[in-house]
Amino acid sequence: MKSSNGYEIYVHIPFCVRKCDYCDFVSFACGADVHKMYFDALLRQIDETAETVGRVPVVSVFIGGGTPTVPDAQYIMAVLCKLKEKFDVSPDAEITIEANPNSASVEKLKVYKDAGINRLSIGLQSTEDNELKMLSRLHNYEEFLETYRDAREAGFDNINIDIMSAIPGQTIESYRRTLERVVELNPEHISAYSLIVEEGTPFYERYKDGKGLPDEDTEREMYYLTKQLLHEHGYERYEISNYSKPGRECRHNLGYWTRVPYLGFGIAAASFDGEKRFQAHSDLKRFCAGDFSAETETLSETDAMAEFMFLGLRLVRGIAKADFKKAFGRDMDEVYGEQLNKLATEGLLINGDQVMLTDKGMDVANYCMSEFV
Ligand code: SF4
């Protein structure tokens, strides 16, 4: 990998208490012995990578999963110490950990805070206990509230809450209750995704024909309600599914959408050096045995330009033509003039020095992105 002015780091912790029925992330329920083997391997992988890339500057760390709060907190501490030992982690780096209620005790949260983690992302999904049950989540709303209070008590002043729409049985009214209760808690950031029924999950077998899921019109209504209600409560949308208080956007994800290079550690983690992408395998046994191999994909210039467009246009602020020129030495209009004009004529895109989707364009973002692929 080539060196760079600043890397992001993603660490994948693939452990969960139990697999949720809708989940297609690389995650497993394993015992403490497997946790130990995994973290031992993870530390070795960080050592090996540092030998290759050198002591690169790091601007953000994201510890995701799985549920990183499931294993002993000392393991997370060891990973952070190792990252700081091997890389030049900026003193003001954003360091996030994902947490689920029921596995994030106040003691654990305090250990994370002391270890330098300064952002917490809590998976709530819904404040309705029947919907949480439907998703086979292990917590109820009350337990989430406890975790949220514990997080504030532990000193976290930058918290994201994940919520979900289009859950089986969810109605506009119940989704509105979720939104209202969440804004009442006043987190700094809210991620609002729609449930996707992924092939290979138990949900796929149950809902592949769409029966039992909110219909398309209801789903659309939920989408508009999210935008409107969160805006009324001081949350600005900065990406298709992400909302924050001013200045509290997730810096790590912003980096991902603007193609900042990143190093991935753990099974199934991807890395990107600005030109090539590396996709690690997802075999836990192989990883614990020290096989850190990854498939390399070299992006052609056409792929890289397309990626620049469809990742950047996810952001409400869009992309600067000057940045495109800097990245590829070519004018955006010369490469994508036709597509930009078409989308602008359809009222879906603003085609100035800064290119961005209109509100209407954001609503049909998949259609707009497909123009660039
Ligand atoms: S907690 Fe998250 S990662 Fe774990 S099984 Fe459930 S959805 Fe998947």
Side-chain angles (χ1 to χ4, degrees):
M1 279 188 196
K2 69 173 188 185
S3 123
S4 144
N5 289 335
Y7 276 86
E8 305 202 312
I9 284 182
Y10 174 75
V11 184
H12 191 69
I13 311 297
F15 305 119
C16 287
V17 177
R18 191 186 68 197
K19 191 88 179 163
C20 301
D21 286 354
Y22 62 96
C23 177
D24 82 327
F25 295 125
V26 177
S27 65
F28 323 92
C30 298
D33 51 335
V34 181
H35 295 176
K36 182 174 179 345
M37 283 192 288
Y38 186 76
F39 280 95
D40 284 349
L42 203 48
L43 298 180
R44 289 203 302 278
Q45 187 193 24
I46 296 171
D47 277 333
E48 280 186 20
T49 306
E51 269 173 40
T52 317
V53 299
R55 198 178 164 74
V56 293
V58 169
V59 291
S60 72
V61 177
F62 195 102
I63 305 170
T67 309
T69 46
V70 163
D72 196 297
Q74 298 304 321
Y75 289 128
I76 300 293
M77 226 172 131
V79 168
L80 276 173
C81 283
K82 179 63 85 183
L83 291 175
K84 287 178 182 172
E85 177 196 325
K86 295 292 174 181
F87 303 114
D88 191 8
V89 179
S90 162
D92 74 341
E94 178 191 84
I95 306 182
T96 304
I97 189 165
E98 289 185 328
N100 274 324
N102 270 347
S103 65
S105 63
V106 70
E107 292 75 25
K108 264 187 183 173
L109 292 167
K110 282 181 177 161
V111 173
Y112 301 145
K113 193 78 193 31
D114 290 345
I117 295 178
N118 49 31
R119 187 172 182 273
L120 192 70
S121 177
I122 313 177
L124 164 64
Q125 315 314 345
S126 168
T127 62
E128 304 290 298
D129 286 347
N130 62 327
E131 290 171 11
L132 291 172
K133 235 186 220 155
M134 182 64 84
L135 291 169
S136 70
R137 301 283 297 181
L138 282 171
H139 59 90
N140 59 30
Y141 179 47
E142 194 48 47
E143 286 161 332
F144 161 81
L145 283 177
E146 205 174 306
T147 302
Y148 187 81
R149 281 185 221 114
D150 286 348
R152 290 297 194 204
E153 191 193 318
F156 282 98
D157 60 5
N158 196 3
I159 299 182
N160 167 60
I161 297 180
D162 283 339
I163 57 171
M164 194 181 266
S165 58
I167 298 169
Q170 193 176 41
T171 62
I172 296 290
E173 292 69 36
S174 70
Y175 183 58
R176 180 188 287 277
R177 274 198 297 279
T178 289
L179 286 169
E180 285 174 344
R181 284 173 174 161
V182 166
V183 295
E184 209 172 296
L185 291 170
N186 205 23
E188 285 68 32
H189 190 285
I190 298 171
S191 294
Y193 286 93
S194 221
L195 172 73
I196 296 178
V197 176
E198 301 281 3
E199 218 172 324
T201 62
F203 256 40
Y204 187 76
E205 293 316 312
R206 265 174 247 160
Y207 300 110
K208 61 177 174 237
D209 57 5
K211 273 190 207 135
L213 295 171
D215 61 30
E216 227 175 273
D217 289 347
T218 310
E219 213 185 309
R220 272 276 120 180
E221 216 178 308
M222 288 174 177
Y223 165 85
Y224 290 121
L225 181 63
T226 311
K227 261 198 322 189
Q228 183 205 333
L229 197 144
L230 294 188
H231 174 73
E232 283 166 9
H233 288 82
Y235 293 89
E236 286 312 320
R237 175 154 82 157
Y238 67 98
E239 191 267 350
I240 296 171
S241 307
N242 284 280
Y243 299 78
S244 79
K245 292 280 178 76
R248 297 307 191 112
E249 297 86 358
C250 175
R251 279 153 51 192
H252 182 87
N253 284 343
L254 279 176
Y256 175 74
W257 293 312
T258 51
R259 303 183 80 240
V260 170
Y262 48 89
L263 299 171
F265 296 105
I267 56 170
S271 303
F272 174 60
D273 70 356
E275 287 170 0
K276 292 197 265 325
R277 200 177 306 287
F278 307 83
Q279 179 63 54
H281 66 78
S282 53
D283 187 321
L284 192 57
K285 259 195 192 154
R286 264 171 67 193
F287 185 83
C288 291
D291 176 355
F292 309 137
S293 58
E295 266 183 36
T296 308
E297 181 200 1
T298 306
L299 296 176
S300 66
E301 193 189 43
T302 309
D303 290 342
M305 288 190 296
E307 196 178 82
F308 181 100
M309 298 302 288
F310 65 72
L311 286 179
L313 286 175
R314 295 185 64 89
L315 297 172
V316 170
R317 70 175 190 220
I319 40 191
K321 283 185 177 165
D323 288 344
F324 186 91
K325 176 100 180 172
K326 202 164 138 201
F328 304 106
R330 297 175 66 181
D331 286 330
M332 194 188 283
D333 287 306
E334 171 209 325
V335 183
Y336 292 118
E338 204 180 300
Q339 291 88 332
L340 294 175
N341 285 335
K342 176 174 181 271
L343 292 172
T345 308
E346 291 169 342
L348 303 176
L349 177 137
I350 296 168
N351 187 10
D353 290 343
Q354 189 77 15
V355 175
M356 63 191 86
L357 295 184
T358 59
D359 239 22
K360 199 171 142 203
M362 276 282 173
D363 296 347
V364 289
N366 285 346
Y367 163 74
C368 296
M369 308 311 181
S370 68
E371 289 293 323
F372 300 98
V373 184

